[in-house]
Amino acid sequence: MTDCELEQDLRRVVETYSPMLLRAALTRTATPTDAEDAVQDVFLRLLDKRPRFRDGEHEKAWLLRATLNRASDLRRKRRDDVPLEEAANAAAEAVDHGPLLSAVRSLPEAYSAVIHLYYYEGYSIKEIARLLALPAPTVGTRLSRGRERLRKLLKEEEA
């Protein structure tokens, strides 16, 4: 692949997938800045590793899985080594995306990922199972338990 072809392919990937990957990363990070960092790291990894994909769905699945993993890594890292003052400032700067997205983001990662992929990205349970390398019944269970936790969270916020 020539440099020009590589640049065009990378531009296509960034333009096609950036919004979806950013939304996915936001479900796992504390701030929009961290979500953007996660997506950028994934694109850099794509450029560095240059994996071969079978088709567009394989490419999309790789990007989503890499983004969710990177966002989780950033979330853990920030939680472990951010001074209290910076954590307070980051929380104050976080963009309010409404009570529903805030509730989804507050769920454990196992639930927030499947809820995001199912409701925000429109994947089926079988597709999510393939993306996350989980059995389909596990995805269904996480989706059900995640919805129940969301109901409880949103009822608590109403009260």
Side-chain angles (χ1 to χ4, degrees), residues 13-155:
V13 169
V14 169
E15 289 173 358
T16 302
Y17 297 113
S18 287
M20 176 192 63
L21 297 177
L22 188 57
R23 288 190 306 268
L26 276 167
T27 66
R28 293 208 172 165
T29 59
T31 66
T33 304
D34 285 346
E36 291 168 355
D37 287 347
V39 172
Q40 182 177 0
D41 289 349
V42 169
F43 288 139
L44 289 172
R45 184 171 172 216
L46 177 69
L47 184 61
D48 182 47
K49 300 289 182 190
R50 296 185 189 180
R52 300 270 183 229
F53 301 113
R54 291 183 304 272
D55 55 25
E57 281 303 307
H58 183 220
E59 177 182 69
K60 187 177 182 180
W62 185 93
L63 289 165
L64 253 175
R65 188 175 307 148
T67 300
L68 290 171
N69 289 338
R70 184 63 187 133
S72 294
D73 292 345
L74 285 175
R75 183 178 183 177
R76 277 190 298 276
K77 184 177 189 291
R78 297 290 191 255
R79 193 175 15 201
D80 291 343
D81 65 354
V82 173
L84 185 58
E85 299 83 27
E86 287 183 33
N89 290 340
E93 292 174 8
V95 176
D96 182 20
H97 294 282
L100 183 58
L101 185 57
S102 294
V104 170
R105 290 175 66 190
S106 72
L107 293 174
E109 289 178 11
Y111 301 129
S112 66
V114 295
I115 286 176
H116 174 80
L117 293 171
Y118 189 81
Y119 289 106
Y120 289 85
E121 302 301 334
Y123 282 101
S124 70
I125 289 176
K126 287 182 181 179
E127 291 169 326
I128 296 169
R130 273 197 316 272
L131 281 171
L132 301 179
L134 295 169
T138 300
V139 172
T141 299
R142 288 181 181 182
L143 193 56
S144 176
R145 289 179 182 167
R147 282 190 289 240
E148 185 57 36
R149 285 186 178 210
L150 273 177
R151 274 189 211 99
K152 288 179 184 176
L153 283 171
L154 294 173
K155 280 185 181 181

